[in-house]
Amino acid sequence: MGRKSSPRSPQAEGGSRAASPPSSSSSPPSSPLWALPEELLLLICSYLDVQALGRLGQVCRRLRFLSSRDLLWKRIARGCLNSGFTQLGTDLAPGIPVKERVKVSQNWRHGRCRRETVLKWKCNLMPWMELDGQYLYLSQAENIQAYQLCPDGAGLQRHPQAIFSGHQEDVCRFVLVNSHIVSGGGDGNIVLHKIHGSYSVKFSAHEQEVNCVDFQGGLIVSGSRDRTAKVWSLSAGRVGQCLHTVQTEDRVWSIAISPLLSSFVTGTACCGHTSPLRIWDLESGQLLTCLGTDFHHGAGVLDVFYETPSLLLSCGYDTYIRYWDIRTSTRKCVREWEEPHDSALYCIRTDGNHMIASGSSYYGVVRLWDKRQTQCLQSFHLSSPTSSPVYCLRFSTTHLYAALASALHVLDFTAS
């Protein structure tokens, strides 16, 4: 004997706008669930996990709308890889529904992606890049070129939208801050460009190549092969004036200003008897502290990255990613991860929460790490059979871009 079917609401049969919440009249009148205020319904749903929320959304249109609310998925997203939320809860991708970000996060964790080579160049370079909205900025020899991303976020437009020049030799590093590009080159110069305009400034900075630069709060810090780090003013009437010269006694490979704008960290070649990681006062140029005591000779720091004012990441020739918390200890890092194939690590990037991406020196290997685990999570080999370091990598919530000696690769994690 068949079971009597319950009446279906018009919204369950179809509707003109699926994005708007169905009216209460569309719910079965006999169900006590819809008598509850929406705040209580959301509270009940907040105890569900990913699988339960997904199944709940398959019941009817109203539950699908309710179970897709960002409020319910934020708690889950904060525990996922690269979902757009920092440790402090800041949302870095407010335009993308949180539920969709959680789905894509599973692809990051399991390494499900589509790989594509989007740019190639004939001679081998040491490129650097930055992502900014719908544009990717890439250094190629002495120029920096701005490429517009395709609507799907994977490919690039064939021709650059803008080219920023000024160096006589290759660009070593550059940063993109507040619609300004600051670059250091092999000619020892620093060049400042305003992206939306013709304004540019160029000044002689170091006796040898400028290996690294950072720019925040109207100040530029630069590091060079000439064994100095310098602080430069960009205030009116003092543009390009050197405020401090720090004698590092070693080649400077990486540099970063603290988010508090009170200090900066240098990563050096570790050819002397001092730590390759040192923090300097931004106002006076005086040494504040050294990080670590167990670096081997030659364990130079190639990249350093501030996650918060007290947390920073470093990597380099000794094959380790190190995570430093200067609130607890400057003598020893709080966590470390070793490159499994004993390769130097050229670059690192973090999502500000659980994920780290690293680029190694052999065969274009990009690795994804979960800070809560000790072993590498996923590996991607981008340059077989020829060997090339990953000189720079950047990622959004959906794509990862890796710059190698002769090509730019993209990993699209929206493709499952």
Side-chain angles (χ1 to χ4, degrees):
M1 186 172 181
R3 189 172 54 180
K4 184 179 291 185
S5 60
S6 58
R8 300 184 65 185
S9 67
Q11 295 288 350
E13 297 291 341
S16 58
R17 291 191 302 169
S20 59
S23 62
S24 58
S25 62
S26 64
S27 305
S30 59
S31 172
L33 182 65
W34 303 118
L36 296 174
E38 184 177 283
E39 292 79 5
L40 285 180
L41 290 174
L42 290 172
L43 178 62
I44 294 170
C45 292
S46 69
Y47 290 96
L48 303 179
D49 59 15
V50 175
Q51 189 177 35
L53 275 175
R55 289 175 175 174
L56 185 67
Q58 297 175 2
V59 174
C60 65
R61 281 181 182 267
R62 183 169 183 180
L63 283 176
R64 184 173 68 187
F65 174 81
L66 185 74
S67 63
S68 297
R69 297 280 292 274
D70 281 358
L71 184 65
L72 296 177
W73 289 92
K74 282 182 179 179
R75 172 184 57 84
I76 297 170
R78 288 174 183 173
C80 295
L81 293 183
N82 196 29
S83 61
F85 289 94
T86 66
Q87 293 183 28
L88 302 177
T90 304
D91 191 349
L92 303 178
I96 306 175
V98 181
K99 180 180 178 180
E100 295 304 313
R101 286 186 255 166
V102 171
K103 289 181 180 179
V104 175
S105 174
Q106 299 305 309
N107 291 339
W108 286 85
R109 173 166 292 280
H110 298 292
R112 295 191 293 258
C113 64
R114 182 177 65 245
R115 310 182 192 192
E116 184 181 356
T117 302
V118 292
L119 281 179
K120 289 185 178 181
W121 41 92
K122 294 181 180 179
C123 57
N124 286 348
L125 304 173
M126 297 177 64
W128 198 254
M129 63 181 166
E130 295 287 351
L131 273 176
D132 181 42
Q134 297 302 311
Y135 289 88
L136 183 142
Y137 296 80
L138 178 72
S139 65
Q140 294 176 288
E142 67 274 10
N143 297 323
I144 299 170
Q145 301 183 5
Y147 291 91
Q148 187 171 10
L149 300 177
C150 292
D152 60 1
L156 305 177
Q157 300 291 340
R158 290 190 61 183
H159 301 289
Q161 296 289 310
I163 299 176
F164 302 91
S165 305
H167 291 282
Q168 275 69 53
E169 295 186 32
D170 289 0
V171 174
C172 298
R173 296 275 181 101
F174 71 92
V175 291
L176 178 63
V177 180
N178 297 331
S179 298
H180 289 82
I181 296 175
V182 176
S183 59
D187 54 6
N189 294 328
I190 290 176
V191 178
L192 168 69
H193 293 285
K194 188 172 179 60
I195 294 177
H196 306 292
S198 58
Y199 174 81
S200 65
V201 175
K202 174 182 176 180
F203 54 90
S204 178
H206 291 269
E207 296 178 1
Q208 298 184 45
E209 57 260 46
V210 182
N211 291 323
C212 50
V213 291
D214 199 6
F215 169 46
Q216 287 192 55
L219 295 174
I220 296 173
V221 293
S222 60
S224 171
R225 191 183 182 88
D226 66 8
R227 303 187 176 193
T228 65
K230 296 186 179 183
V231 181
W232 307 88
S233 172
L234 286 181
S235 60
R238 302 178 69 187
V239 175
Q241 179 179 341
C242 182
L243 303 180
H244 308 294
T245 298
V246 174
Q247 300 295 332
T248 60
E249 302 177 358
D250 215 343
R251 291 165 291 175
V252 185
W253 295 127
S254 55
I255 204 163
I257 299 175
S258 165
L260 293 179
L261 306 180
S262 59
S263 60
F264 65 95
V265 59
T266 56
T268 55
C270 199
C271 293
H273 301 287
T274 57
S275 167
L277 272 174
R278 282 171 283 177
I279 298 178
W280 312 82
D281 185 78
L282 194 57
E283 184 175 350
S284 67
Q286 298 298 309
L287 178 65
L288 295 178
T289 187
C290 297
L291 298 181
T293 58
D294 57 350
F295 289 95
H296 299 294
H297 185 78
V301 176
L302 296 176
D303 200 7
V304 62
F305 182 84
Y306 269 102
E307 194 172 61
T308 72
S310 55
L311 297 172
L312 60 98
L313 288 151
S314 66
C315 71
Y317 283 117
D318 69 347
T319 76
Y320 279 92
I321 300 172
R322 289 185 169 90
Y323 196 44
W324 305 88
D325 187 342
I326 57 179
R327 298 169 300 183
T328 59
S329 174
T330 58
R331 295 179 60 84
K332 189 173 179 59
C333 62
V334 291
R335 294 180 215 165
E336 61 182 21
W337 299 270
E338 185 177 10
E339 211 316 302
H341 289 168
D342 201 31
S343 302
L345 294 170
Y346 271 53
C347 55
I348 49 173
R349 207 68 180 175
T350 172
D351 67 349
N353 199 0
H354 300 299
M355 192 183 82
I356 301 172
S358 65
S360 69
S361 60
Y362 292 114
Y363 296 106
V365 175
V366 172
R367 300 193 195 278
L368 303 183
W369 309 78
D370 188 333
K371 293 178 188 174
R372 298 162 293 188
Q373 300 179 13
T374 57
Q375 302 298 317
C376 168
L377 192 65
Q378 297 294 337
S379 299
F380 306 95
H381 298 255
L382 302 179
S383 68
S384 179
T386 57
S387 177
S388 168
V390 179
Y391 289 109
C392 184
L393 58 82
R394 293 292 183 266
F395 57 81
S396 63
T397 56
T398 54
H399 296 82
L400 184 147
Y401 302 86
L404 280 65
S406 60
L408 175 67
H409 300 264
V410 62
L411 306 180
D412 179 3
F413 287 90
T414 62
S416 54

